[in-house]
Each structure stands twice: as C-alpha cells, then as structure tokens.
Amino acid sequence: MTDPRFPSDFHWGVATSSYQIEGAAAEDGRGPSIWDTFAHTPGKTVNGDHGDVACDHYHRYPQDFDLIAGLGLNAYRFSIAWPRVQPQGKGAWNAKGLAFYDRLVDALLERGITPHATLYHWDLPQALQDEGGWLNRDTALRFTDYAVTMGVRLGDRVAAICTHNEPWCTAHLGHHSGKFAPGLKDPQAAVQVAHHLLLSHGLALQAMRAAGVKAPLGIVLNQSPAVPATDRATDLALAEREYALFVRWFMDPLFLKRYPTASGVHLYPQVRENDFDAIAQPLDFLGINYYTRIWVSSEEPPRPAPRMDGVTDMGWEVYPQGLADLLTGIHREYKLPPIYITENGMANADTLVEGKVHDAQRIAYLKGHLEALSRAIAAGVDVRGFFYWSLLDNYEWDSGYDKRFGLVHVDYATQQRTLKDSAHWYREFVARQRAAHGA
Ligand code: FCB
C-alpha cells in the first residue's frame, strides 16, 4: 500500500517533557517540583524510580537534537520546567534556568527544527504545592506571571506555546486516583483543580497577548472516543458519560463557555462570575494527544474489548481508527482551530541486541495511526503536524523507567542512545513525504 500523503508544510516531530528527560534536578538553581517530592516518596513509583538523572538531557541536549535532525524531522515539542526558571513558583527568576531554555531553543533553530514549547507538563514548583497547589485559585495567577515571562522571552523564536499538557491527568490522576503527583484522592478536589487549570490557561493567553507575545498560543488535551460495547441503552449512556468527563469537560468550557451535563455526572467545581469568559479565549491551535480508545461496558463483569490490533506494554489497546473517529467527532461538534497531534505513541518491551532494537510493533502502531490521521484530514480536519511520543525512552511517571516509549533506546547506565528500527522507519516515511512534494 502506498503512503498516505500529508500537506507539504506539515510539522513532523517528536515530543518530550522536562521532568521525564532533563535530570539535573538540583543543578544550577532549579527548585524542587511536586514530581521530585512524589517520586522520592516510598511506594509511589515502580522501583522507586525518579527523575534525578533521567536521560541527562540537561547536559546532552545538543547530541539529542542532532538525533532529531538526523531523522530529518522539522519540529520538536518540549516542556519548560517551571521550577528551573522560577524555583519558588513566584518571585525571583533563575537566570541559569532561563539561559538553559534560550540555549535549547537556539540549538533547535540552528538545526532547522521548529520549537513547540509547553509551559506546564506537570512539574509544579513544590513551594506552590505547599500553598495548596492547583486547588488554590491563586496558582492560576502565579502561572499567568510565569507564562508571560516565558512567552516574552521565547515567543519570537518558537512556533507554538501551549499552556497545559493534559489537564485531565493533572486533575484526575493527580488529585482523584492519586497515581500522579501530588497524590491526592479527592474527586471534588479533582474537578476544582481542572477548573483552575482551565482558568489559568485562559488568563495566561489573555496576558501573553496583552504583553505582545507573537507565537501562536494553545493548549494540549488528551482525548479518546468512548466506544460502547453494544448498542444497548445502558452502554450508550455510560459511553456518553465517559466522553463528557474526558473530552467535553475541557472542550465545552474552551469553546462553549460551560461544563457538560450528562446523566451520571454529579461533581462540578465552584465557578465565579466571568470565569468562562476568561477560559474561552480564542485558540491559535489545539494540541491533541491520542493513545487509545475508551471502551465502555455496563455489564458485570464488563464485556472485554476485541483488541484486534493488540495491546501495548502499558496494557493500552492499539486502536488507530479511534484517532480518526475522535478528530472527525470533535470537528463536527466544535469550531476547531488548526490541530496538532502533539502526542501519539506506544510503550514496547524493547530489547537492545547487538546494537539493534527490532520494534516491529511500534512501526505498525505508527503506520496505523498515520493512516488514520490522513483519513481525518481527508474528512476535512485541519491538522498541521504530528509529534511521536517520544524521542527517547524516558521516565514514564509512576511506571518509572520500565516502560519504553522512545524511537531511540536509552541505556540508563551509560546514557548510550541507539536508534530503534522505528526511528529508521519514521525517517524514511518523512523523507518519502518530502520527495512526494518535490522537496
Ligand atoms: C501522556 C503524557 C506523557 C507520557 C505519555 C505516555 O499522558 O503527556 O508525558 O507520559 O502519556
């Protein structure tokens, strides 16, 4: 089968985040984040793994960017560690931290790689958590100050600034299931946090625009279609509820100035007058992270998903068509800005044998999702780029270093990087896209 064809100016990239790769946790004046605290709390992560060293990207970024350039990619999505640039989350700025991100952006531009910056990929300064974290409405104001400083500093050199990465995870995994930092288990707190995250996003967009930041501004949401196991009314209702909680919970305030209602949804946050006006700022783009679908069954025990294309090492079903279904669905329901697929990828039980990693499963995953993405584009969704998660094997949060998502294998003992078969496949795929456009 021939390759699907993507637009000529498409952004072909890879994504990472600060805490998952940088390391240098106590270097050059970086303050502690909630992930340092959480990961160093016994029992919170697999093997007690933490990001103290991670991929040592703080020191190795030039070599890592050479890898991206070598793959022929033209875009890179990274996140800024707030406690590296403002150790207490308010007050003094850390010149060395700011200089690091300056160097990082320049190193990308020198290699012809377009930087996409994320302001918040979960590493809140611990000092702000000590004052209530995202449960404290004031954190939205602290975030706005941080956003303006970074926006003014980097906005002339980056192709995109996104406020939050996956606010659903911050809210629910961080404050309801307690799987992620800060580890709270309070469902009412989770919805309040989600509201403060959305508010902080809107206030930050307003303030960055008022400060003259020119870069396109947006937010990244993790989304999945919720697929009922049967077309029985109980399954359909449950699917509607799951979709409301996962997708509409963020889309409705951003685009329609309200929270969704659905049967079975009971918890709502405290909302002040004008909050929705603040939240629903025009978006220059929307980032979507897609990994799998939500399968919904009201039976007891639940009817299992068919899992025709297998499961990943995370136990997540491989379901490429879900990406097309999701995008065409939100395209119908909302007036969308241009879309980037800011994350898509899989964990695989990769092994390095004689300098090679044969990750055929990842190639199949990538190919399937790119084909699904091209179907969504053909159906009219304006998609401008795709970022594979992740460039490197890295610190997968509570799963520690056990789960390998990279196109590039990392030997954590030596920090040796090795391109997996999937990296070669992606390079060749992108090269064929360029050739097809006569570039
Ligand atoms: C997403 C996160 C990212 C990574 C992938 C596997 O939810 O944004 O940091 O952990 O999942």
Side-chain angles (χ1 to χ4, degrees):
M1 196 186 141
T2 55
D3 291 333
R5 182 78 70 83
F6 289 85
S8 61
D9 53 357
F10 206 69
H11 283 194
W12 291 105
V14 280
T16 65
S17 90
S18 47
Y19 189 69
Q20 294 179 274
I21 63 167
E22 284 181 2
E27 223 170 298
D28 289 344
R30 176 184 177 278
S33 81
I34 56 173
W35 266 96
D36 296 289
T37 309
F38 187 78
H40 282 281
T41 306
K44 298 296 189 191
T45 69
V46 170
N47 303 319
D49 286 348
H50 50 70
D52 285 6
V53 177
C55 304
D56 193 33
H57 176 75
Y58 188 74
H59 300 112
R60 294 169 195 264
Y61 69 92
Q63 147 196 353
D64 290 338
F65 294 169
D66 287 344
L67 291 173
I68 301 175
L71 293 177
L73 304 178
N74 59 2
Y76 174 63
R77 172 171 179 251
F78 67 98
S79 80
I80 296 159
W82 184 355
R84 202 180 279 296
V85 297
Q86 193 182 33
Q88 303 298 311
K90 59 182 172 184
W93 298 95
N94 176 27
K96 287 186 175 168
L98 292 167
F100 171 67
Y101 293 106
D102 275 333
R103 289 200 302 279
L104 185 140
V105 164
D106 289 342
L108 290 166
L109 293 173
E110 276 161 24
R111 290 165 176 79
I113 304 164
T114 315
H116 288 238
T118 297
L119 294 171
Y120 188 79
H121 202 125
W122 309 350
D123 38 6
L124 185 74
Q126 179 61 41
L128 292 185
Q129 187 62 42
D130 296 343
E131 296 175 10
W134 287 109
L135 207 43
N136 180 349
R137 192 176 162 104
D138 285 350
T139 299
L141 306 178
R142 304 288 83 75
F143 178 78
T144 303
D145 292 345
Y146 159 61
V148 168
T149 296
M150 296 318 299
V152 167
R153 184 115 185 173
L154 302 179
D156 58 336
R157 286 171 287 160
V158 300
I161 297 177
C162 98
T163 53
H164 287 283
N165 176 71
E166 303 191 348
W168 182 90
C169 292
T170 303
H172 291 278
L173 302 181
H175 299 81
H176 181 183
S177 74
K179 264 165 63 91
F180 283 6
L184 265 63
K185 294 186 178 158
D186 175 352
Q188 183 65 49
V191 294
Q192 195 62 48
V193 163
H195 184 66
H196 291 160
L197 292 166
L198 284 163
L199 180 66
S200 73
H201 155 83
L203 294 176
L205 252 57
Q206 269 180 320
M208 284 192 279
R209 287 187 176 129
V213 174
K214 290 286 173 312
L217 305 177
I219 187 168
V220 168
L221 303 175
N222 50 319
Q223 297 193 343
S224 299
V227 182
T230 71
D231 52 19
R232 278 205 292 261
T234 47
D235 284 345
L236 295 177
L238 200 55
E240 206 172 296
R241 189 189 80 181
E242 291 304 299
Y243 191 71
L245 289 172
F246 201 63
V247 175
R248 291 195 213 284
W249 198 269
F250 295 92
M251 294 295 273
D252 282 13
L254 287 166
F255 292 97
L256 305 172
K257 300 190 180 186
R258 61 168 196 223
Y259 282 110
T261 50
S263 96
V265 178
H266 303 297
L267 295 180
Y268 289 91
Q270 284 179 3
V271 177
R272 292 194 196 164
E273 210 184 328
N274 302 329
D275 279 2
F276 287 124
D277 290 332
I279 291 169
Q281 298 303 310
L283 295 172
D284 297 320
F285 67 90
L286 174 66
I288 301 285
N289 294 352
Y290 174 80
Y291 288 92
T292 188
R293 65 174 164 180
I294 302 172
W295 174 263
V296 176
S297 165
S298 60
E299 290 168 52
E300 248 345 300
R303 187 181 290 227
R307 301 185 154 195
M308 309 263 277
D309 292 312
V311 291
T312 74
D313 202 30
M314 296 295 280
W316 300 346
E317 181 190 9
V318 178
Y319 192 70
Q321 179 59 28
L323 177 58
D325 294 343
L326 170 80
L327 292 174
T328 51
I330 59 175
H331 176 60
R332 260 196 316 273
E333 292 173 70
Y334 302 93
K335 207 176 163 328
L336 298 177
I339 300 286
Y340 288 105
I341 302 305
T342 32
E343 290 182 28
N344 171 248
M346 75 177 286
N348 197 41
D350 299 319
T351 49
L352 178 66
V353 181
E354 291 170 2
K356 301 218 180 293
V357 179
H358 298 306
D359 57 342
Q361 300 88 332
R362 185 173 285 105
I363 294 173
Y365 184 100
L366 195 43
K367 192 165 179 290
H369 285 81
L370 289 173
E371 284 166 2
L373 185 57
S374 78
R375 293 195 289 278
I377 294 174
V381 187
D382 179 7
V383 184
R384 304 285 175 93
F386 174 88
F387 295 79
Y388 179 79
W389 181 273
S390 184
L391 169 65
L392 303 168
D393 290 340
N394 61 41
Y395 178 69
E396 180 48 31
W397 309 112
D398 59 320
S399 306
Y401 295 100
D402 260 19
K403 302 298 177 198
R404 293 182 176 272
F405 274 92
L407 293 177
V408 177
H409 179 275
V410 176
D411 178 334
Y412 293 106
T414 61
Q415 291 295 345
Q416 174 75 38
R417 274 73 162 142
T418 307
L419 300 193
K420 301 179 190 178
D421 287 357
S422 56
H424 296 293
W425 184 88
Y426 193 34
R427 173 171 46 72
E428 285 158 18
F429 180 89
V430 171
R432 288 197 300 275
Q433 291 294 317
R434 298 249 161 75
H437 288 291

